[in-house]
Amino acid sequence: MAKTIEEKQYLLRYNADPKSHLTILDHNKCATQCEGQICTIFCPGEVYKWEGDRMFVGYEGCHECGSCRIGCPNDNIKWEYPKGGHGVVFRLA
Ligand code: SF4
Ligand code: SF4
């Protein structure tokens, strides 16, 4: 039987880089120019958490799907691949 998305996510493993590969360039733009802080909705890894007036970035859980490079309406996320050997590890079911 086909696996659900949630079941597939359990197959992901991470080798986190000590340094984030994701940077919010301007937290003020998130507060004033982005209704609903949509990266908190479209990111499948639930990397972005909006708390108070600041965006917290749990980069360790990034799936490296690249959606935030095109999904942020303010071009406000600097996105790079993690250093070689770091980041998400996909396993086949
Ligand atoms: S989508 Fe972009 S502008 Fe909106 S909250 Fe996220 S990082 Fe900020
Ligand atoms: S690349 Fe994908 S998983 Fe990683 S932070 Fe962006 S939207 Fe989330």
Side-chain angles (χ1 to χ4, degrees), residues 3-93:
K3 290 195 182 317
T4 64
I5 294 284
E6 289 75 15
E7 286 170 334
K8 287 181 177 176
Q9 286 188 325
Y10 280 117
L11 297 171
L12 298 177
R13 297 291 179 270
Y14 304 91
N15 179 19
D17 190 330
K19 183 174 174 295
S20 177
H21 63 292
L22 302 164
T23 308
I24 302 294
L25 299 173
D26 183 350
H27 288 262
N28 194 43
K29 276 191 182 171
C30 302
T32 61
Q33 297 177 34
C34 190
E35 193 176 340
Q37 288 79 39
I38 60 170
C39 56
T40 63
I41 299 166
F42 68 65
C43 171
E46 300 182 4
V47 165
Y48 300 102
K49 298 270 185 254
W50 182 246
E51 289 186 14
D53 57 357
R54 194 168 175 83
M55 186 62 76
F56 288 85
V57 182
Y59 70 94
E60 299 93 336
C62 175
H63 297 187
E64 297 170 36
C65 70
S67 300
C68 52
R69 298 172 101 169
I70 54 172
C72 173
N74 294 306
D75 207 12
N76 197 24
I77 302 171
K78 183 175 169 215
W79 193 103
E80 299 166 317
Y81 279 107
K83 277 205 303 274
H86 293 89
V88 70
V89 178
F90 294 98
R91 292 193 177 169
L92 296 177

